[in-house]
Amino acid sequence: MAEGYFLAGRGTDSVNFDYFFRKNPFGGGFTIFAGLQDLFEMIEDFRFNSEAIDFLHKRGFHSSFLDYLKDFKFKGTLHAPQEGEVVFPNEPTITVEGNIIEAQLLETLLLNTINYQSLIATKANRLRHSAGDRGVMEFGMRRAQGWAVIHGSRAAVIGGVDSTSNVLSAYLYGLESSGTQAHSWIQSFKDEITAFRVYAETRPKNCVLLVDTYHTLNSGVPNAIVVAKEMEKKGERLSGIRLDSGDLAYLSKKARIMLDDAGLRGVKIIASNQLDEYIIKSLIDQGAKIDAFGVGTSLITGREDGALDGVYKLSQVNQRPTIKLSEDVYKLTLPGKKKIVRYYNGENKLYADAIVLAEENLSEIDTIYHPQYADKKSDVSGLKSEVLVSKVFENGKVLAPKKEVREISEYRKYRVSQLSEEHKRFEFPHIYKVGLSDALIKLREKLLADIKKKK
Amino acid sequence: MAEGYFLAGRGTDSVNFDYFFRKNPFGGGFTIFAGLQDLFEMIEDFRFNSEAIDFLHKRGFHSSFLDYLKDFKFKGTLHAPQEGEVVFPNEPTITVEGNIIEAQLLETLLLNTINYQSLIATKANRLRHSAGDRGVMEFGMRRAQGWAVIHGSRAAVIGGVDSTSNVLSAYLYGLESSGTQAHSWIQSFKDEITAFRVYAETRPKNCVLLVDTYHTLNSGVPNAIVVAKEMEKKGERLSGIRLDSGDLAYLSKKARIMLDDAGLRGVKIIASNQLDEYIIKSLIDQGAKIDAFGVGTSLITGREDGALDGVYKLSQVNQRPTIKLSEDVYKLTLPGKKKIVRYYNGENKLYADAIVLAEENLSEIDTIYHPQYADKKSDVSGLKSEVLVSKVFENGKVLAPKKEVREISEYRKYRVSQLSEEHKRFEFPHIYKVGLSDALIKLREKLLADIKKKK
């Protein structure tokens, strides 16, 4: 397509694309926006080297276009919210302005990056919601979809987990790393207590012993207690034990009693084994004595969804707003350059968002309308409001301040705290209002009428 | 853990790990093994550079161990089947022999690579099964889990799709690339017919027109027919049209009639929009006139599963076979060094596999036993058999011949053709027999008895 635009002499046409998704993942009430800083890095590195040019030449691309690509550098402008922001379906979360070729070339990179990280950050936030103030560790590298894990672990921490077992991402992004021993460690010694003892000797700090290799309550926990007592004599402390099979509610309660009876109230109980936000909630509801959860597959792959359905749609060409109808009514797009406005109620909680035209003045908007049913409307006059997006990339340079992952996670935490409990419910959450301005609705109606006229 | 082994003076202990999975993905009857060549490349590149050493130093690793890591190179031995092989749950698909440190360090890399590619190859094979000899294109990059897509597109082609829209993987692995225009192309022109015309002019080869931007049957298909006729006059040919929304069965039939009536029998109909193996099968059952399917999210993310549950378990230490019990009976592991044997029936179809000890002589095995119910057994005497695994990596070198992805896909096709239809069924497939040899069962019983004695 980029070649087509080039050959058609349209390389200097200016366009506006919107990134938005149509459905919150996991049946939830909101989505955590993530991936922006990684996207910036990829945009800055987005070049066609001579190998790439040679390859495209062999695939039949025109030499004039390849000459253009040799000097290609993305110089468009991006508007977006901060990473960690709470966002909602159909909002033009990222807008990309630029010439039609650069804006087109960015599509796949942007979708690939933002869709995945936002999915995982949202999943992590659900785990955090279930776990309350208990620990949550990302343990998914073994089951991650290949190299997805590099960005997945970052997104998981943005969304609210404490640490990752993925040391590469911990290195790249300054995340907390954590891990425990595997069954193979235990099996590799002649017996369980020797395995525990040697581990405690070589790794006395943050020592967590895996207690289910042979029999959790008859062997694992009693042996861990022996080693914990031996550590105490040396002035060391066993950090925890890990349960990785069986009934985690039952075993954790029994293990807690055994540890407490041995005077080891400080030894934490960590649980893993196919956990997700529902199982964690259920374990807590059952009174399980679990201090921290290790979550693998469901977190790093965003099970049950696997993908955020984000799309990248053209909304304006050379000042001309455009629209897409398609055969599915829900796929109708919003025309023109737009921005997102957020309204707050008196308690500083999120009240509603509005999608309005970029040039609209907030002070002149007093009503927002349901996107499909215009008679459903909300009065927003007098409410505190702010534009949710700002210019984050321009002329090949990142304008947004670079933030540490933990800062982004703090922002996410604050924003989620501004949502009402009904929006955070897992099952059938209250649908957050995202309205349109009168001006945007009128523009859409005009374009629809124009298309009907043409037919 | 690797540091622990090092500090405990166990660095030269020799071990055997088994890679196996417990459940075929997607409720299917088999799994396509993929990812091995990429794993080899990663093993060959597996080094700790000075940046990595510095990072680990800051995280508190011992300097003696870091000195060891500076010179680290994986020198272990891998046995595995060929890529594209049909494999089954609980089979020690890859075995890793080496010293305990190198074998441990490989775990995450191996699981991350093989689990994902095998998942996607298996999914792709299901799509191929549904589509028969119609085209299937991998269109998932926008919804892939970040950088997973690099290997995912490769695995998809191994599993049976024809091409990918991911040009990077096409470049890296010599895959066929294919793509079509997006809605934005259509919207960016003043009207649909101009958009079609310019596309056909700039890209007359493999020209596929997207017909659902405004109205498929009233606008898109009629305009595509006009352009196809204009192309014919220039001696060119429209390759196809693409439907991306609405009722694909209905629209494809109507579009086929319109194209045929215009004398355009050669113009193919391509369909996309949230397809998976079930929808493809349903469309074909309904007589949809679709020649090729573009499949995105469900293929590249392995929806509904998201992960193959492969694990990496220790089975032997310094000639001592080991076992893991855990609290879940199904997690019991198989001890010792083993190999997979495949038996064929008289029609050269797969009859059963057996997991046997590595040193066992095939000619002495005449019965194989159900892993849990020893009175369920199969007579395999006189059946054609072969050892399914061979030595593929040794002394830092790859022994397996390097193959093109298309060769691997051909092998996959042949192997799947040797499965009976009952094993290929999507719903409740016939469970393929994977038995154990008498010698392996006896070894497992002995180890279980030893553990009971210790308690």
Side-chain angles (χ1 to χ4, degrees):
Chain A
M1 284 171 62
E3 185 189 56
Y5 289 127
F6 178 84
L7 295 175
R10 297 191 52 194
T12 56
D13 282 15
S14 72
V15 295
N16 188 91
F17 276 91
D18 297 330
Y19 167 80
F20 62 94
F21 54 88
R22 294 194 176 102
K23 209 166 69 68
N24 288 312
F26 318 117
F30 61 98
T31 295
I32 303 293
F33 175 64
L36 198 60
Q37 281 185 197
D38 292 295
L39 178 66
F40 292 152
E41 286 191 19
M42 291 184 243
I43 294 177
E44 290 173 320
D45 291 343
F46 194 170
R47 295 283 191 290
F48 292 83
N49 63 21
S50 59
E51 269 184 291
I53 298 287
D54 286 351
F55 172 75
L56 294 172
H57 177 71
K58 279 180 203 139
R59 294 272 161 138
F61 284 82
H62 289 250
S63 58
S64 59
F65 178 58
L66 295 177
D67 283 342
Y68 172 87
L69 288 186
K70 273 178 202 162
D71 300 320
F72 177 81
K73 188 173 187 320
F74 179 86
K75 288 183 181 152
T77 302
L78 273 68
H79 283 77
Q82 292 184 52
E83 274 196 275
E85 186 56 87
V86 167
V87 292
F88 299 95
N90 301 311
E91 294 183 340
T93 310
I94 306 178
T95 57
V96 177
E97 296 167 64
N99 73 55
I100 200 165
I101 295 178
E102 66 189 355
Q104 184 57 61
L105 287 173
L106 191 62
E107 173 172 0
T108 304
L109 195 61
L110 185 151
L111 290 171
N112 178 274
T113 304
I114 303 296
N115 279 339
Y116 177 58
Q117 287 206 37
S118 299
L119 178 82
I120 302 306
T122 306
K123 185 70 169 188
N125 191 69
R126 291 166 68 85
L127 292 162
R128 168 51 60 211
H129 188 74
S130 285
D133 55 6
R134 293 166 187 82
V136 183
M137 296 168 286
E138 186 273 294
F139 272 4
M141 187 158 186
R142 306 175 316 145
R143 300 282 170 79
Q145 302 208 339
W147 292 358
V149 72
I150 296 170
H151 298 118
S153 299
R154 174 186 188 268
V157 175
I158 288 177
V161 313
D162 301 300
S163 63
T164 176
S165 63
N166 170 359
V167 183
L168 176 57
S169 294
Y171 166 63
L172 293 171
Y173 296 110
L175 313 177
E176 289 297 312
S177 57
S178 63
T180 74
Q181 64 193 165
H183 294 108
S184 58
W185 175 276
I186 315 294
Q187 290 170 265
S188 81
F189 288 84
K190 70 177 189 332
D191 53 31
E192 192 178 50
I193 191 144
T194 309
F196 285 179
R197 227 168 238 148
V198 176
Y199 197 76
E201 279 162 16
T202 58
R203 195 189 166 80
K205 276 187 201 165
N206 299 318
C207 178
V208 175
L209 301 173
L210 178 60
V211 293
D212 75 325
T213 307
Y214 302 115
H215 194 288
T216 302
L217 299 178
N218 293 349
S219 167
V221 178
N223 282 332
I225 289 173
V226 170
V227 171
K229 289 292 179 186
E230 291 170 358
M231 290 176 80
E232 278 186 353
K233 282 180 195 153
K234 290 191 270 180
E236 293 161 0
R237 213 174 58 75
L238 179 65
S239 286
I241 61 170
R242 176 161 72 104
L243 308 171
D244 188 43
S245 58
D247 191 295
L248 298 174
Y250 170 79
L251 292 172
S252 67
K253 289 179 203 172
K254 290 284 181 187
R256 187 72 267 160
I257 291 170
M258 291 165 77
L259 289 166
D260 289 354
D261 287 352
L264 295 165
R265 289 184 183 276
V267 174
K268 294 199 156 48
I269 297 177
I270 295 159
S272 53
N273 192 21
Q274 301 293 324
L275 299 178
D276 64 24
E277 63 267 45
Y278 296 99
I279 298 173
I280 289 175
K281 188 174 180 314
S282 164
L283 286 168
I284 293 172
D285 288 348
Q286 294 169 66
K289 299 295 184 187
I290 296 170
D291 301 288
F293 301 91
V295 186
T297 315
S298 79
L299 170 54
I300 206 69
T301 68
R303 207 183 257 176
E304 302 290 331
D305 270 351
L308 180 68
D309 69 353
V311 294
Y312 186 81
K313 294 293 173 192
L314 184 70
S315 67
Q316 184 158 303
V317 186
N318 293 335
Q319 315 307 317
R320 175 177 63 82
T322 70
I323 201 166
K324 175 203 156 200
L325 292 176
S326 108
E327 297 289 326
D328 304 325
V329 179
Y330 76 93
K331 283 186 168 182
L332 178 66
T333 64
L334 294 170
K337 278 174 69 169
K338 300 169 295 291
K339 62 189 174 192
I340 310 170
V341 183
R342 178 152 292 173
Y343 294 96
Y344 298 84
N345 68 15
E347 287 136 17
N348 202 29
K349 293 267 184 190
L350 273 55
Y351 173 72
D353 284 8
I355 308 170
V356 312
L357 292 172
E359 73 264 20
E360 284 190 81
N361 194 329
L362 262 59
S363 63
E364 288 165 15
I365 299 172
D366 53 13
T367 309
I368 62 174
Y369 299 84
H370 187 284
Q372 276 80 46
Y373 310 104
D375 53 334
K376 286 188 80 173
K377 55 191 175 182
S378 296
D379 182 356
V380 294
S381 57
L383 293 183
K384 184 188 141 192
S385 66
E386 64 176 334
V387 175
L388 203 66
V389 294
S390 60
K391 197 185 284 181
V392 292
F393 193 94
E394 191 179 39
N395 289 324
K397 289 218 167 52
V398 181
L399 304 182
K402 184 158 181 168
K403 285 190 183 177
E404 296 294 323
V405 173
R406 83 177 75 86
E407 288 177 79
I408 301 172
S409 182
E410 281 300 315
Y411 183 71
R412 183 263 326 150
K413 188 176 171 183
Y414 170 65
R415 289 306 245 178
V416 172
S417 77
Q418 290 184 291
L419 276 171
S420 73
E421 287 309 311
E422 291 75 21
H423 293 124
K424 289 186 250 189
R425 199 166 53 210
F426 285 172
E427 279 94 10
F428 303 105
H430 189 56
I431 293 172
Y432 184 79
K433 273 182 206 150
V434 178
L436 308 184
S437 69
D438 185 51
L440 178 56
I441 287 183
K442 291 216 166 84
L443 177 63
R444 185 173 68 177
E445 281 170 2
K446 181 185 169 300
L447 291 178
L448 286 173
D450 288 352
I451 290 169
K452 279 201 186 140
K453 256 185 269 167
K454 277 189 205 160
K455 275 185 201 161
Chain B
M1 284 172 61
E3 183 188 58
Y5 289 128
F6 178 84
L7 295 175
R10 297 190 52 192
T12 56
D13 283 14
S14 71
V15 295
N16 189 91
F17 276 91
D18 297 331
Y19 167 80
F20 62 94
F21 54 88
R22 295 194 175 103
K23 209 166 70 68
N24 288 312
F26 317 116
F30 62 98
T31 295
I32 303 293
F33 176 64
L36 198 60
Q37 280 185 199
D38 292 296
L39 178 65
F40 291 152
E41 286 191 19
M42 291 185 243
I43 294 177
E44 289 173 320
D45 291 343
F46 194 170
R47 296 283 192 289
F48 292 82
N49 63 19
S50 59
E51 269 183 291
I53 298 285
D54 287 351
F55 173 74
L56 295 173
H57 177 71
K58 279 180 203 137
R59 294 270 161 141
F61 283 82
H62 289 250
S63 58
S64 59
F65 178 59
L66 295 177
D67 283 342
Y68 172 87
L69 288 186
K70 273 178 203 164
D71 301 320
F72 177 81
K73 188 173 187 319
F74 179 85
K75 286 182 182 154
T77 303
L78 273 67
H79 283 76
Q82 292 183 52
E83 274 196 274
E85 186 57 88
V86 166
V87 291
F88 299 95
N90 301 312
E91 293 183 342
T93 310
I94 305 178
T95 56
V96 177
E97 297 167 62
N99 73 53
I100 199 164
I101 295 177
E102 66 190 356
Q104 184 58 61
L105 287 174
L106 191 62
E107 173 171 1
T108 304
L109 195 61
L110 185 151
L111 290 171
N112 179 273
T113 305
I114 304 296
N115 279 339
Y116 177 57
Q117 287 206 36
S118 299
L119 178 82
I120 302 307
T122 306
K123 185 70 171 188
N125 191 69
R126 292 166 68 85
L127 292 162
R128 169 51 59 212
H129 188 74
S130 284
D133 54 6
R134 293 167 187 83
V136 184
M137 296 168 286
E138 187 273 295
F139 272 4
M141 187 158 186
R142 306 175 316 145
R143 301 281 171 81
Q145 303 208 338
W147 292 358
V149 71
I150 296 170
H151 298 118
S153 300
R154 174 184 189 267
V157 175
I158 288 177
V161 313
D162 301 300
S163 63
T164 176
S165 63
N166 170 0
V167 183
L168 176 58
S169 294
Y171 165 62
L172 293 171
Y173 296 110
L175 313 178
E176 289 298 313
S177 57
S178 62
T180 75
Q181 63 193 165
H183 294 108
S184 57
W185 176 275
I186 314 294
Q187 291 170 263
S188 81
F189 288 85
K190 70 177 185 338
D191 54 29
E192 193 179 49
I193 192 143
T194 309
F196 285 178
R197 227 168 237 148
V198 176
Y199 197 76
E201 279 162 14
T202 58
R203 197 188 165 81
K205 277 189 201 164
N206 298 317
C207 180
V208 174
L209 301 173
L210 177 60
V211 293
D212 75 325
T213 306
Y214 302 114
H215 194 287
T216 302
L217 300 178
N218 293 349
S219 167
V221 178
N223 283 332
I225 288 172
V226 170
V227 172
K229 290 290 178 190
E230 291 170 359
M231 290 177 80
E232 278 186 352
K233 282 179 196 154
K234 291 192 270 182
E236 294 162 358
R237 213 174 58 76
L238 179 65
S239 286
I241 62 169
R242 176 160 74 103
L243 308 170
D244 188 43
S245 58
D247 191 297
L248 299 173
Y250 170 80
L251 293 171
S252 68
K253 289 180 204 172
K254 291 284 181 187
R256 186 73 268 161
I257 291 169
M258 292 165 76
L259 289 166
D260 289 354
D261 286 352
L264 295 165
R265 290 185 182 275
V267 174
K268 293 199 157 48
I269 298 177
I270 294 159
S272 52
N273 192 21
Q274 300 294 324
L275 300 178
D276 63 23
E277 63 267 46
Y278 297 99
I279 298 173
I280 290 176
K281 188 174 181 309
S282 164
L283 286 168
I284 293 172
D285 288 348
Q286 294 168 66
K289 300 294 184 189
I290 296 169
D291 301 288
F293 301 91
V295 186
T297 315
S298 80
L299 170 53
I300 206 69
T301 67
R303 205 183 259 178
E304 303 289 333
D305 270 351
L308 180 67
D309 70 353
V311 294
Y312 186 80
K313 293 294 173 190
L314 184 70
S315 67
Q316 183 158 304
V317 186
N318 293 334
Q319 314 306 318
R320 174 178 63 82
T322 70
I323 201 166
K324 175 204 156 199
L325 292 176
S326 108
E327 298 289 325
D328 304 326
V329 179
Y330 75 93
K331 283 187 167 181
L332 178 65
T333 63
L334 294 169
K337 280 173 69 168
K338 300 170 293 290
K339 63 190 175 192
I340 310 170
V341 182
R342 178 153 291 173
Y343 294 96
Y344 298 84
N345 68 15
E347 288 135 18
N348 202 29
K349 293 268 184 191
L350 273 54
Y351 173 73
D353 284 8
I355 308 170
V356 311
L357 292 172
E359 73 264 19
E360 284 190 81
N361 194 329
L362 263 57
S363 63
E364 289 165 16
I365 299 172
D366 53 13
T367 308
I368 61 174
Y369 298 84
H370 187 284
Q372 277 81 47
Y373 310 103
D375 54 335
K376 287 189 78 171
K377 54 192 175 182
S378 296
D379 183 355
V380 294
S381 57
L383 293 183
K384 183 186 140 191
S385 66
E386 65 176 334
V387 175
L388 203 66
V389 294
S390 61
K391 196 185 283 181
V392 291
F393 193 94
E394 190 179 40
N395 289 324
K397 290 216 168 54
V398 181
L399 304 182
K402 184 158 183 168
K403 285 190 184 177
E404 297 294 323
V405 173
R406 84 177 73 86
E407 287 178 80
I408 300 172
S409 182
E410 280 301 314
Y411 182 70
R412 183 262 328 150
K413 188 177 173 183
Y414 170 66
R415 290 307 245 178
V416 171
S417 78
Q418 290 184 292
L419 276 171
S420 73
E421 287 308 311
E422 291 75 21
H423 293 122
K424 289 186 251 188
R425 198 165 55 210
F426 285 171
E427 279 95 9
F428 304 104
H430 188 56
I431 293 170
Y432 184 79
K433 272 181 206 150
V434 178
L436 308 184
S437 69
D438 185 50
L440 178 56
I441 288 183
K442 291 218 166 85
L443 177 62
R444 185 173 69 176
E445 282 170 1
K446 181 182 170 302
L447 291 178
L448 287 172
D450 288 350
I451 290 170
K452 280 202 184 138
K453 255 186 267 167
K454 276 188 205 161
K455 275 185 198 158

